[in-house]
Every structure is written in C-alpha cells, then in structure tokens.
Amino acid sequence: MFKRFDLHFMPNNGWIAYVGPFPFPWGQAASRRMVGIARSFAESGYSVVVAGGASLPLAEQDLNEGEPKGSVRYIGVGESPVPRMPSLKKIWRVFFEWGQLTVQWLDRQPSKPTHVVVYGGSAQYMLRLLPWCRQHGIPLIVDVVEWYDPRQMKGGRFGPFYLSAQFALRYLYPRCDGVIAISSLLEDRYRKLGCEVVRVPPSLDVQAERSHIQLKNPEDPLVLVYAGTPGKKDLLRHVLEAVEAVDPTGARLKLKVLGPTVEQLKASYGRSNFAPSIQILGRINQEEIASHICSAHFTVLLRMPALFTNAGFPTKFVESLANGTPVIANLTSDLGLYLRDGVEGLVCADYSVHGLSLALERALSLSGSQLEKMRQAAINQAKQSFDFRVHSKNLHLFLSSIKRVPR
C-alpha cells in the first residue's frame, strides 16, 4: 500500500510530481539529475514527490539533504524491470506496461500536483502521461537530456528502442507544456519548435561535494581519474593509449579507472595487459568515488563531437569541478562555457590520442601552485554554475509561466 501525500506539508506553491523509471536518489547518472532538479524546485518553495522506478520505498521518505524552503520526498512505484526478471517479461514491461504504475500512483493522490515533470521513459511513458495530464488539466513538463544515436541502442536504427526514443523526442516531447533542456543544443531545438524551454545543466550540492577534498603531495606522480561506464560516448581507449604513450612506467603519471573491470576492458579493446601507469579499480561504491576524484590532480574526458554527445552534458564533468578537481577534456556540448584552458583545467585540441598526449605533457609541467589555483577555479565555477540553488529562480519562473491546461 502506497502512502498518500500528506497535505499539511504543502507550501503555497503546491506540489510537483517528478516521475521517471530510474532509481532515486542513487543508482545512475539519471538519479543524480533528478536529485538536482528536485532540490532546485524545493529551494523555490515547492514540495516535490519523486515517483521513482524502483520498487522501494513503499512509503514516502524524506530526502533529508539540506534544509530547502520546500521539501523533497520520494517513493518507489516499481516501473523498472528487476535485474532477475526474464528477458521477455522485461520487454513486455517496457513496451506495454511502462508508465501504468505511475499513472495509478497519480490517481491515488488526494490532491493533484500543480505540475508533472517526467524524466525518461521514451514514448511508452509519454503515451500514458500526456492523456492523464490533459484529462486533469495539469501541465506536463519533460526533462530532456539526450538525443540518441542509433549506435547507442540495441537493434540500431530500426530497433524498437531507438524508434521509441525518436518518436518521443520528435513528436511527443514537443507536445508537452514545457521542456527542461540539459544543453544549449536541446534548448535551441525545442525553442524553435515553439516550446516553453528552460536550460538547466547537471546540478548538485557543491558544498556537500567539496567536503572530501584531499590535496596530493606535489612530489607524487600526477594522478588522473576516469570514473564511469564508457558506453558509446567516452573514448576511454584513447585515454588509456595516451597515458601509456606519455609515461608507460607510471613514474610521472598514474591513471585510475573507476567503473569497468580489467576483464571488461581487455575484452572491449582486445588487450592482454595494461602499462603500470594504469590502475583499473573496477566497480566501487558510489560513496568512494568522490574521495578518488578529490585526491586526483585531474579527471580526464574525451568524446567525439557528434549530435548525441553535443546534445547531452557529462555529469562526471560537473562532479569533478564540484569536488575541486580540474578537468582535461576536449570541448563537446556546452563544456566550452565552463572549461577555460589553464583555468578550470586543460582543453585538448581534439579527441585524438595525440591531442590528449600533448595536454598531459602540459599538465606534467604545471607547478604545485598552478595546480592549486586550478583547483580553486574549479570549485568557484561549480558554485556559480552547477549548484542546485543557482537554478531555483529560473525553474520557479519557468513553472510560474506554465499554467494549468484546458481539460
């Protein structure tokens, strides 16, 4: 039995339902995105209830992060397939049932939300939420963070996952009452379609992220960190090859790889071994990632410029700056707005092994005072651009401009 939303918690601004088939508040980059947006809403005085994809918790829980003017509570509605569910049942859940449990949860609430915000779910979610919101006269807002490439999806261009995503991106999302876009590219694309749009990059609590910072001894090797799952976006192979080319022995340079295992990387890249300068740690607890990032001199990120990389925005870039760690990267998406060469990090001329190798040589030539200056600049940029409090006013104005729609 799901616990109904308790009306006496609602401020005058009303409450927002933020829904999506993802675990909350931890589990994926999507989870971090939802936490940041939800806390920005709460900072504006809204009460937010996140109906996440996991099956737990069964009753609403407080997020208990900081003391915003509103509140963030969350509940699991069980939309996401569980790991051990048979493949056919997973496919059935995604293509024929997705969104059904979320709509049932919305129907159970004694007071309807002022807005429904949806993150992910593609066409299946939207085909249930759009009619429900129209029926009840409630604005539906979509949080758009990707423009998928066929190479990212099982089945490719004519596979059901890609077709579902494209139907949502091109046809269903523009029919919502508003769009929260993660990048300038998506902002421009939906604004040209006549949508009400606000741009919000990945956001988090910068003050909380900074608490783990540990400075390295300048005499130690320069430490780099890559954290995440490379997928089709991150060019981790180029990073590995550049580090091995610059310092195969590990005397001057160390790269820590968090996420993929040694076996996975060997299989993906056809390798039998890696140089001593590369330390592959595999999957580690989310709580440990920040300490690795904070104790590094730089994180490193290479992506090929393409529609799908320019439409998104790397959460790992934001987390690095928030932890006071400068970034070595080539410029895709909106990174050029926040990464100035020699200030918050180093900009690679391109995404090639040679381009990164040149940037690594530059990094090795930096003094301890220069590295510390970059570290402080990274924190300052994160405070100004990526703290959830920074975006609360714009999101409040955005919601205020979107009124209830005719039934």
Side-chain angles (χ1 to χ4, degrees):
M1 179 68 67
F2 293 117
K3 179 182 176 182
R4 293 190 173 193
F5 188 73
D6 199 344
L7 295 180
H8 73 266
F9 279 98
M10 296 183 192
N12 293 332
N13 283 342
W15 72 283
I16 299 167
Y18 194 4
V19 303
F22 300 101
F24 186 92
W26 295 98
Q28 300 178 18
S31 312
R32 299 299 298 273
R33 169 69 171 180
M34 295 181 79
V35 169
I37 295 289
R39 296 194 69 189
S40 291
F41 285 141
E43 186 71 12
S44 297
Y46 291 94
S47 282
V48 184
V49 181
V50 179
S55 57
L56 297 174
L58 294 177
E60 289 169 12
Q61 302 289 322
D62 291 317
L63 186 60
N64 291 327
E65 290 192 9
E67 296 180 354
K69 299 177 179 66
S71 64
V72 179
R73 306 170 83 190
Y74 62 99
I75 189 169
V77 297
E79 292 279 13
S80 300
V82 296
R84 295 182 181 179
M85 184 180 288
S87 297
L88 288 178
K89 195 169 183 180
K90 286 182 181 180
I91 292 172
W92 182 269
R93 168 69 61 85
V94 169
F95 285 98
F96 299 101
E97 296 179 345
W98 238 5
Q100 179 177 308
L101 294 174
T102 299
V103 167
Q104 292 174 2
W105 173 78
L106 287 166
D107 275 331
R108 285 195 294 271
Q109 304 313 303
S111 176
K112 294 298 180 279
T114 60
H115 303 80
V116 173
V117 182
V118 59
Y119 179 93
S122 296
Q124 297 88 318
Y125 244 64
M126 303 307 298
L127 288 172
R128 295 185 186 276
L129 285 171
L130 270 167
W132 188 90
C133 287
R134 292 293 179 266
Q135 177 187 352
H136 293 88
I138 296 172
L140 178 61
I141 296 164
V142 60
D143 186 3
V144 188
V145 302
E146 298 273 8
W147 193 276
Y148 294 100
D149 185 277
R151 291 169 291 180
Q152 296 175 272
M153 315 292 277
K154 290 182 179 179
R157 184 174 299 277
F158 300 106
F161 294 97
Y162 179 71
L163 293 175
S164 171
Q166 287 298 304
F167 183 51
L169 288 165
R170 296 177 182 273
Y171 182 78
L172 297 177
Y173 292 170
R175 282 156 178 76
C176 293
D177 303 289
V179 173
I180 302 172
I182 201 170
S183 65
S184 298
L185 187 151
L186 291 174
E187 177 187 21
D188 294 343
R189 178 159 293 208
Y190 284 103
R191 201 179 295 283
K192 287 176 181 176
L193 293 173
C195 301
E196 197 75 32
V197 186
V198 62
R199 175 165 57 88
V200 182
S203 58
L204 39 75
D205 188 346
V206 175
Q207 296 171 4
E209 295 293 326
R210 190 182 175 187
S211 62
H212 299 287
I213 286 179
Q214 301 170 11
L215 295 180
K216 293 290 288 182
N217 189 327
E219 279 88 36
D220 291 342
L222 192 78
V223 178
L224 311 173
V225 163
Y226 170 86
T229 304
K232 301 294 184 181
K233 288 184 178 180
D234 298 349
L235 300 174
L236 181 55
R237 179 200 291 266
H238 290 197
V239 175
L240 297 172
E241 292 177 0
V243 170
E244 290 176 323
V246 171
D247 183 19
T249 67
R252 298 188 301 149
L253 195 61
K254 291 282 187 183
L255 170 66
K256 294 182 179 181
V257 180
L258 316 179
T261 65
V262 174
E263 291 73 22
Q264 288 172 332
L265 291 179
K266 285 181 177 179
S268 297
Y269 303 143
R271 301 284 295 269
S272 59
N273 54 63
F274 297 94
S277 53
I278 295 172
Q279 183 181 6
I280 302 169
L281 301 180
R283 288 189 64 85
I284 63 173
N285 294 331
Q286 184 75 36
E287 295 77 10
E288 296 178 44
I289 294 176
S291 62
H292 283 287
I293 292 174
C294 290
S295 61
H297 294 98
F298 292 94
T299 61
V300 60
L301 177 65
L302 286 185
R303 290 185 170 183
M304 179 178 65
L307 177 59
F308 70 102
T309 54
N310 288 328
F313 195 111
T315 303
K316 55 175 65 75
F317 173 83
V318 175
E319 292 175 337
S320 183
L321 294 195
N323 281 293
T325 303
V327 180
I328 300 175
N330 67 311
L331 299 181
T332 58
S333 184
D334 290 334
L335 293 191
L337 300 176
Y338 312 103
L339 177 59
R340 296 169 291 177
D341 187 51
V343 183
E344 294 88 6
L346 299 176
V347 175
C348 299
D350 55 36
Y351 60 92
S352 68
V353 174
H354 178 67
L356 177 56
S357 297
L358 293 176
L360 293 179
E361 293 288 2
R362 290 178 58 201
L364 286 166
S365 70
L366 296 172
S367 66
S369 62
Q370 288 174 311
L371 290 170
E372 176 55 28
K373 191 174 180 181
M374 280 190 182
R375 185 179 287 274
Q376 191 57 54
I379 294 171
N380 291 339
Q381 183 68 267
K383 286 181 178 179
Q384 296 166 15
S385 304
F386 302 123
D387 189 275
F388 74 88
R389 301 167 187 85
V390 172
H391 303 284
S392 61
K393 182 177 180 180
N394 281 344
L395 280 169
H396 174 67
L397 294 173
F398 171 71
L399 289 185
S400 299
S401 70
I402 298 175
K403 306 300 182 184
R404 285 185 176 268
V405 294
R407 296 191 179 189

